[in-house]
Amino acid sequence: MPTIRFLGHAAFQITEGDDDVLIDPFLTGNPQAEAAGLSADELSPTAIVLTHGHDDHVGDTPALAQRTGATVYSSFEVCNWLGEKGVQSLEPGNPGGGIDASFGRVDFTPAFHSSSSGGVYLGQPMGVVLRIGGVTIYHAGDTALFTDMKLIKELHAPDVAILPVGDRFTMGPGHARIAAEWIGAKVTIPCHFGTWPLLTDDLSAFTPAGTRVEKLKAGASIGV
Ligand code: NI
Ligand code: MN
């Protein structure tokens, strides 16, 4: 069974046997990661999964991928852009598709958001569904609440849902409560809140029924 470790903001590390998968590994400049003493230098991923091209999600990916040779799974545009930055091993996809991966499988889902860096358009923002060690983990990326989250439950039945809850750029806590109930995972992990003053850290409205909420501090892990 995999271990899920929160690295601050929207960054997660999922480990299972020899597989060490990072989602949205933004550590350098991430106040939550830095306060917890976490550094990209200490990470040695075998794979990196990116939901979209914003800097607070791509983060340390170019340096990590070049140091470790980890394969990056993301949108067609994000992968092309990383290739121009010298990343060698790239697996592009788009929403609705999936890729059999070293660790299991990644499926790309819709997300309602944007995706760019420094004025460069970087394709569709996405959520990702990882299958690893017999567990299905949905990281919603940055997104609004949308009713097709019910379809994600129907298609993928996630065991774990990782949801942004910080408002302004994504769902806030009230909408994320509805998302968590629609997805109905056994465990729901809130993220993308309180990183900066623009993102709320008041989760008092995030009270979904029918799921166990695991609010992790940066650096903390849970087994699922
Ligand atoms: Ni974003
Ligand atoms: Mn973001």
Side-chain angles (χ1 to χ4, degrees):
M1 290 292 173
T3 297
I4 300 176
R5 184 183 185 210
F6 182 44
L7 304 178
H9 194 52
F12 286 83
Q13 178 183 27
I14 299 164
T15 48
E16 160 70 23
D18 292 335
D19 292 310
D20 186 333
V21 184
L22 297 178
I23 305 176
D24 290 356
F26 164 56
L27 289 100
T28 304
N30 172 346
Q32 294 174 347
E34 291 183 345
L38 303 174
S39 163
D41 297 339
E42 295 159 10
L43 300 173
S44 294
T46 56
I48 299 172
V49 179
L50 298 180
T51 60
H52 64 295
H54 284 154
D55 297 345
D56 60 318
H57 296 259
V58 173
D60 295 288
T61 295
L64 280 166
Q66 289 184 57
R67 174 165 58 79
T68 64
T71 300
V72 181
Y73 301 81
S74 192
S75 71
F76 179 78
E77 288 81 0
V78 167
C79 285
N80 283 347
W81 177 70
L82 289 172
E84 290 167 9
K85 292 178 179 296
V87 177
Q88 299 284 328
S89 182
L90 296 159
E91 288 285 357
N94 254 327
I99 304 170
D100 290 331
S102 53
F103 53 84
R105 184 174 170 86
V106 56
D107 282 275
F108 300 116
T109 72
F112 283 82
H113 190 64
S114 58
S115 180
S116 62
S117 181
V120 178
Y121 167 73
L122 289 175
Q124 277 288 117
M126 307 190 292
V128 293
V129 177
L130 272 62
R131 284 184 177 72
I132 179 168
V135 172
T136 301
I137 300 167
Y138 169 49
H139 187 310
D142 282 357
T143 187
L145 177 66
F146 58 100
T147 51
D148 275 358
M149 286 176 172
K150 296 178 183 179
L151 186 59
I152 292 169
K153 174 183 174 64
E154 186 177 326
L155 293 176
H156 300 292
D159 300 297
V160 179
I162 299 171
L163 303 178
V165 304
D167 211 348
R168 184 179 285 259
F169 300 109
T170 71
M171 300 185 280
H175 287 184
R177 176 185 64 76
I178 297 168
E181 291 181 353
W182 283 349
I183 297 158
K186 287 189 278 288
V187 174
T188 302
I189 303 171
C191 71
H192 211 278
F193 67 95
T195 316
W196 301 282
L198 287 178
L199 303 182
T200 187
D201 62 0
D202 176 4
L203 268 53
S204 57
F206 186 64
T207 55
T211 183
R212 187 175 90 238
V213 174
E214 291 277 2
K215 185 178 166 186
L216 301 177
K217 284 205 177 340
S221 303
I222 56 167
V224 291

